[in-house]
Amino acid sequence: MTVRDDASRNGVCSARGASGEERILLAVRGARDRELLADLLDAYEVVVWERGREDEAELPEFDLCIVDMGTYSTLAEALAERKADAGDRFVPVLLTVARDEQAVAAQRLDDVPDDVLAVPAPGAAIRSRVESLLQTRRQSLQLALYRRAMDSATVGITITEADEDQPLTYVNDAFEEMTGYDRSEVVGRNCRFLQGDETDPEPVETLREAVENGESAAVSLTNYRKDGTPFWNDLKISPVYEDDELTHFVGFQTDATVRNALRDQLVHETQTLKQLFETSPVGIAVLNEGGIVVRANEAAQEILGLRRSVVLGQPYDAPEWDLVDERGEPLDPGDLPFDRVRETGETVKGFEHGIETDDERRWLVVNVAPLNRSDEERVGVITSIEDVTELKRQARERERLLDLFDQSQKIAAVGAWEVDMRTGAVLFTSGLAELIRVDPGDDYDLSDAFSFYHPEDEPRVRAAFEHLVETGEEQSVECRLVTTDGEVRWVNVRGVAATETDAPVYRGTVQDITERKARSEELERYERIVETTADAIYTLDGDLRFVLANSATADLLGRDPDELVGEHVSSVFGERHSQALLEAIASLIAGDSIKETIETVVTDRGGTERQFQTTIAARGSEDEFDGIVCVGRDVSELRERERRLSVLDRVVRHNLRNKMNIAQAHAEMVLEGTDDDDVRESAAAIERATSELLSLAETARKFSSALDPNVTERVQPQNVAGCVRSVVEGARLSYPEATITVDAPETATAWAHATFELAVNELVDNAVVYGGGEVKIELSVTEDDDTEQVVIRVVDDGPGLPPLERESLMTGRESPLQHTNGLGLWFVRWTVTNSNGSMDIVDNEPNGTVVELRLPRA
């Protein structure tokens, strides 16, 4: 390296020394510091500026100036002038400061320094700063060269804005020479002023379409100079994008009528290629034979996510970014297509891989072609790199939306159709194909489509479609559709005219409304029942105001149903009824039950007080109370009848018991006072009859709660196995001569009436009474998993139950010719029926009876 005190003799156009090395000007205090820097920067030509030489006319030429704080104030003005004189060429200045001077430098320095380096610093850091600044200078010199080249090019170059009428914003000297127009005459105008009578409209149209589409175009057309002379203009235009937005068009004009047309054409094509390379929205990179990126356009650096200075000189699989395959796994560099292209000379298209930089993954499609010299020697490859991340995202989004569409069709039981009247083709979506049960890939025409409708409904559907075609008005039809396997489904068919195309295309939906139709019909039936029932049915909102009332409610009050809507229940049925409803609602909200029953007194239209039993249930969801539904029944006559029956029951039972006790006492007196066998036999018969009547009355008293078939509050979960074992224990004590066994688990829980244990005890008593003291009785309890029931069986080996009596019990009614002798088995049957169970009686072979009770398992 040569260290010089003065380099002012070098030319002003270039700072390079005779050796061609880049020149660094050292303006640093201290010989030791200068010597260290000179040794460190031995790859460059170093020129030393010393204090005391301020009287020199100007600074020497340099590519980079390194100045310290001590000399900066002396050179600041000269450095600023040098930077200003350089114009668009970058003249870098690196300021070195001591670490304790950093804060002062940040506050006091102007914009002359391009970088500040705190010293002492590692040699690698100093070389890195120097090389970075020099690299920026090289680029600026190249850009300045391009600008000078455009101004001095022999081919006409124009730049127009992409907006509005594409006015010219720049023309070079060659354009002025070629057309005879001065720059001031054309800037702001559209280039069409060069056209004339002989201009062919076809290339003009090509240019117009290219401009509208933001595309490049190359045409040859006749233009006219300012003096009216025609000339052939080989014109090429290229769009210029900035941040993916079309901003300008670059035009290249070549006078094809001159002798040097070929040379100008080559220059023009070279410039065009450079422009296309730099402005291409597709990333373009050139790799040498070693796989190193030697050239890359701006789009390539954006795609790779790095500055061009970093991209260049790197292998394609550089550590600054990670490559992954289509599955997201690390990509082996050997799988990249570059080696294959270099080896075979064949082009590889559509190679896809992922690239990860800064925790971001993007997907690229790479096309690789061999790059040969004129002698066919391969010197590398050229590759286009396209970022398809958004396309892949859109593809995934389309797949997601298609899946969502398919799922929506399934959930909503809806499908769609499209008819193209030009071709007659009918398209079914997967949802409609599934509804009809056909293959969605099959082809159909209008005749096929109409054939799927029920024969009675097909004319109506066809007429609606014809009206849609004729008028374009939306159509909707409820009709029946017949699937390919013969099932009839109710559907709602809608149709509209497509608006985004001029073609006669019609689209619509077919929704399965079979369930809704059935619910609607069921609702209509319920409405008819509600309107025709004699019970008062009405709904109240959360504030106990009427929402709806049936005719029976209106008749009871002598008012129109619509008049009741909005009125508070207290003003209609009274405060006591309203308070009772509030208490019942509190119980419903607390979750004690799903419905509540109250009894209140209401006044009818005639002013008469009536006893009403009202059952209420909550409206709305489980989490939200929306009011109540009330069903009221006039039980005035029923309650009066019950009261009278209760009085009659007490009187009859009291008198019956008294009279039977008297009869029994007289029979005993007769037995004790006579020796006549006939008399004694008659007295004994009287005594037995009175005992049976008293027993019958006692049984009726015990089972009185089982007489009401509507009583459900006494049905509770019970361990029926425990009840059966308890009955057996008591029966063994009561009937020691009988053989009574039981086979039951520890627990078998079923829904049973409170009188269940009495019913089992009645079956055992009945078996002993009819079978004698030594009868054998077997009881068992099992769980039937198939029917979700608990089965209780009582088997005896007695004489059996007479067929007529068994038939009477099983049918549930008696007739003058078919009746039973006692109430016990009737009470058993009523107990089981009230438990929502069943009872069956069959013969036991060879002798006896089997009684089987089935109760719902709890």
Side-chain angles (χ1 to χ4, degrees):
M1 184 189 80
T2 302
V3 180
R4 300 180 54 185
D5 296 332
D6 186 2
S8 61
R9 293 188 299 273
N10 287 288
V12 297
C13 295
S14 172
R16 304 224 174 210
S19 63
E21 297 173 337
E22 290 171 306
R23 178 174 297 167
I24 298 177
L25 176 63
L26 290 180
V28 180
R29 293 175 301 175
R32 179 59 179 165
D33 291 339
R34 291 195 299 272
E35 182 180 353
L36 289 174
L37 285 172
D39 291 341
L40 186 63
L41 302 174
D42 59 355
Y44 311 97
E45 181 180 353
V46 178
V47 179
V48 176
W49 183 92
E50 296 182 358
R51 177 180 290 274
R53 305 285 299 273
E54 298 89 337
D55 56 342
E56 292 192 0
E58 60 180 16
L59 290 173
E61 293 296 326
F62 58 84
D63 291 292
L64 168 67
C65 176
I66 301 177
V67 60
D68 62 7
M69 286 291 291
T71 57
Y72 176 75
S73 59
T74 302
L75 297 180
E77 184 176 350
L79 290 173
E81 291 178 357
R82 176 65 56 85
K83 293 171 78 74
D85 293 341
D88 54 2
R89 290 173 296 169
F90 180 54
V91 180
V93 175
L94 174 63
L95 176 66
T96 63
V97 299
R99 297 192 179 278
D100 57 357
E101 296 176 324
Q102 284 182 286
V104 175
Q107 294 175 359
R108 298 175 53 188
L109 295 181
D110 51 24
D111 295 332
V112 173
D114 298 287
D115 198 358
V116 177
L117 176 66
V119 293
I126 295 174
R127 281 194 293 267
S128 176
R129 296 286 186 91
V130 168
E131 176 58 26
S132 177
L133 291 170
L134 288 174
Q135 177 65 23
T136 304
R137 173 170 172 76
R138 295 179 202 126
Q139 293 174 348
S140 73
L141 293 176
Q142 187 176 22
L143 290 175
L145 177 62
Y146 285 163
R147 292 189 184 94
R148 291 196 302 275
M150 289 177 62
D151 288 337
S152 61
T154 57
V155 62
I157 301 176
T158 59
I159 299 177
T160 68
E161 292 185 2
D163 296 336
E164 298 178 352
D165 197 32
Q166 296 83 48
L168 285 163
T169 60
Y170 168 82
V171 297
N172 68 346
D173 296 340
F175 179 87
E176 291 181 312
E177 292 178 7
M178 184 187 310
T179 64
Y181 287 97
D182 185 73
R183 183 178 285 107
S184 61
E185 296 178 280
V186 299
V187 171
R189 300 175 63 186
N190 186 285
C191 279
R192 69 173 67 91
F193 68 84
L194 295 175
Q195 299 172 18
D197 295 337
E198 299 299 324
T199 302
D200 188 352
E202 184 174 344
V204 174
E205 179 64 19
T206 301
L207 289 174
R208 187 189 64 79
E209 291 179 356
V211 170
E212 288 182 354
N213 297 328
E215 299 173 345
S216 298
V219 297
S220 181
L221 75 166
T222 300
N223 278 164
Y224 292 84
R225 295 184 175 90
K226 183 177 180 180
D227 61 7
T229 306
F231 69 98
W232 279 99
N233 185 2
D234 285 352
L235 171 62
K236 292 186 178 181
I237 65 171
S238 177
V240 178
Y241 288 89
E242 182 175 347
D243 297 331
D244 294 332
E245 181 180 357
L246 179 63
T247 60
H248 295 82
F249 282 93
V250 178
F252 302 92
Q253 297 85 13
T254 301
D255 188 347
T257 61
V258 297
R259 293 179 182 179
N260 60 353
L262 178 60
R263 184 188 63 190
D264 291 343
Q265 181 67 23
L266 290 176
V267 172
H268 168 69
E269 289 179 357
T270 301
Q271 296 293 337
T272 301
L273 288 175
K274 288 182 179 180
Q275 187 65 36
L276 288 174
F277 182 83
E278 291 300 331
T279 61
S280 172
V282 176
I284 301 175
V286 178
L287 282 66
N288 63 17
E289 279 291 277
I292 302 300
V293 179
V294 295
R295 192 169 184 182
N297 68 348
E298 184 178 350
Q301 75 174 20
E302 290 178 359
I303 291 173
L304 296 176
L306 297 169
R307 300 188 309 277
R308 194 176 309 191
S309 60
V310 177
V311 173
L312 297 180
Q314 296 273 23
Y316 190 82
D317 57 335
E320 281 79 1
W321 56 83
D322 298 324
L323 305 183
V324 296
D325 60 20
E326 294 180 352
R327 298 169 299 176
E329 300 294 331
L331 183 65
D332 189 337
D335 294 334
L336 290 168
F338 307 116
D339 291 339
R340 191 184 345 153
V341 173
R342 287 196 298 267
E343 293 171 2
T344 66
E346 298 177 353
T347 299
V348 174
K349 295 182 178 181
F351 182 83
E352 183 175 315
H353 69 84
I355 183 170
E356 293 183 348
T357 58
D358 298 330
D359 298 327
E360 178 189 12
R361 175 180 294 177
R362 286 170 288 116
W363 292 99
L364 312 181
V365 170
V366 178
N367 299 313
V368 186
L371 191 62
N372 301 330
R373 291 195 309 202
S374 58
D375 58 0
E376 298 302 322
E377 180 182 355
R378 192 160 298 122
V379 295
V381 297
I382 184 169
T383 177
S384 67
I385 310 169
E386 185 175 2
D387 190 335
V388 296
T389 306
E390 180 62 19
L391 293 178
K392 288 180 72 70
R393 187 197 67 77
Q394 292 175 359
R396 290 193 300 270
E397 181 67 11
R398 284 195 298 271
E399 292 176 1
R400 187 187 71 82
L401 291 176
L402 286 174
D403 181 66
L404 177 63
F405 178 66
D406 288 340
Q407 295 300 324
S408 299
Q409 288 186 105
K410 293 179 181 179
I411 294 172
V414 66
W417 54 266
E418 180 181 271
V419 177
D420 188 335
M421 296 299 292
R422 290 177 302 183
T423 62
V426 179
L427 173 68
F428 290 169
T429 65
S430 59
L432 181 53
E434 183 176 350
L435 176 61
I436 303 176
R437 299 187 178 95
V438 297
D439 189 338
D442 291 345
D443 295 327
Y444 302 99
D445 56 23
L446 271 175
S447 178
D448 297 328
F450 287 126
S451 69
F452 290 114
Y453 293 100
H454 192 280
E456 296 178 5
D457 296 340
E458 187 268 341
R460 190 157 52 91
V461 178
R462 186 184 294 272
F465 181 76
E466 292 173 352
H467 188 72
L468 168 63
V469 173
E470 181 180 352
T471 65
E473 298 175 356
E474 180 179 344
Q475 299 295 306
S476 179
V477 179
E478 284 193 4
C479 57
R480 288 163 294 178
L481 183 147
V482 183
T483 66
T484 54
D485 55 7
E487 183 182 2
V488 177
R489 308 291 296 179
W490 275 97
V491 295
N492 176 264
V493 184
R494 293 183 63 253
V496 297
T499 58
E500 75 280 5
T501 175
D502 295 333
V505 175
Y506 302 92
R507 300 183 184 127
T509 58
V510 178
Q511 184 173 19
D512 189 342
I513 60 171
T514 305
E515 302 301 327
R516 189 179 74 190
K517 192 82 171 178
R519 289 195 300 271
S520 177
E521 292 175 354
E522 184 179 8
L523 180 61
E524 290 178 1
R525 289 196 298 270
Y526 284 148
E527 289 177 348
R528 287 195 297 270
I529 292 172
V530 168
E531 285 301 315
T532 56
T533 184
D535 292 338
I537 300 177
Y538 51 94
T539 60
L540 306 176
D541 62 17
D543 296 327
L544 296 188
R545 297 186 180 278
F546 276 85
V547 177
L548 187 68
N550 68 344
S551 300
T553 306
D555 292 341
L556 172 68
L557 301 170
R559 300 177 62 179
D560 188 274
D562 293 337
E563 295 179 6
L564 295 174
V565 175
E567 287 203 36
H568 197 274
V569 68
S570 60
S571 65
V572 176
F573 286 128
E575 286 292 342
R576 286 184 295 176
H577 185 77
S578 175
Q579 186 62 35
L581 287 177
L582 287 173
E583 295 173 0
I585 290 172
S587 180
L588 289 175
I589 294 176
D592 297 338
S593 63
I594 60 174
K595 64 180 181 180
E596 292 288 330
T597 301
I598 62 172
E599 282 199 15
T600 58
V601 175
V602 300
T603 303
D604 64 12
R605 63 194 301 175
T608 304
E609 291 188 343
R610 308 292 295 176
Q611 189 82 14
F612 258 75
Q613 184 183 76
T614 305
T615 301
I616 71 169
R619 294 173 58 197
S621 63
E622 295 181 359
D623 300 329
E624 183 177 356
F625 178 74
D626 192 31
I628 57 175
V629 178
C630 304
V631 179
R633 174 167 295 179
D634 189 343
V635 294
S636 303
E637 287 77 9
L638 177 62
R639 291 294 177 260
E640 180 62 24
R641 188 160 52 250
E642 288 176 350
R643 285 192 293 270
R644 294 178 184 180
L645 286 174
S646 176
V647 172
L648 180 61
D649 175 63
R650 287 195 301 273
V651 171
V652 170
R653 284 193 289 112
H654 179 268
N655 291 346
L656 177 65
R657 188 165 54 249
N658 288 343
K659 299 302 181 183
M660 287 302 102
N661 286 333
I662 293 173
Q664 196 170 36
H666 282 283
E668 291 175 358
M669 291 174 60
V670 171
L671 281 173
E672 294 174 357
T674 182
D675 294 330
D676 190 324
D677 291 339
D678 292 337
V679 174
R680 291 181 62 84
E681 183 177 350
S682 297
I686 294 172
E687 186 178 31
R688 286 196 303 274
T690 55
S691 296
E692 290 178 358
L693 284 172
L694 288 173
S695 177
L696 184 64
E698 181 60 24
T699 299
R701 184 189 63 80
K702 291 189 294 183
F703 281 93
S704 61
S705 64
L707 295 176
D708 187 355
N710 295 318
V711 175
T712 58
E713 62 269 15
R714 295 178 63 83
V715 177
Q716 301 291 337
Q718 296 188 46
N719 181 9
V720 297
C723 294
V724 171
R725 286 196 300 271
S726 177
V727 169
V728 170
E729 291 175 2
R732 286 171 177 169
L733 295 176
S734 301
Y735 309 113
E737 295 180 358
T739 302
I740 307 174
T741 61
V742 61
D743 180 13
E746 285 296 321
T747 303
T749 307
W751 289 94
H753 194 272
T755 58
F756 170 73
E757 189 169 330
L758 290 174
V760 177
N761 192 74
E762 184 67 26
L763 291 176
V764 174
D765 289 344
N766 191 68
V768 173
V769 170
Y770 285 98
E774 298 180 357
V775 69
K776 182 179 180 181
I777 307 173
E778 299 175 352
L779 293 90
S780 65
V781 179
T782 58
E783 292 185 297
D784 188 341
D785 293 333
D786 292 337
T787 61
E788 295 289 323
Q789 292 178 319
V790 177
V791 183
I792 302 95
R793 290 167 59 90
V794 180
V795 183
D796 66 63
D797 60 356
L801 194 65
L804 287 176
E805 187 167 348
R806 180 170 55 198
E807 185 176 353
S808 177
L809 284 167
M810 296 312 297
T811 59
R813 63 178 183 273
E814 290 190 340
S815 66
L817 299 179
Q818 178 179 302
H819 60 86
T820 58
N821 290 325
L823 289 176
L825 290 178
W826 279 107
F827 288 133
V828 173
R829 185 181 188 280
W830 295 336
T831 293
V832 175
T833 301
N834 284 355
S835 302
N836 200 25
S838 63
M839 173 179 174
D840 193 20
I841 303 175
V842 297
D843 291 332
N844 183 31
E845 298 297 337
N847 299 311
T849 303
V850 179
V851 179
E852 182 179 274
L853 311 180
R854 286 181 171 268
L855 302 176
R857 187 160 64 185

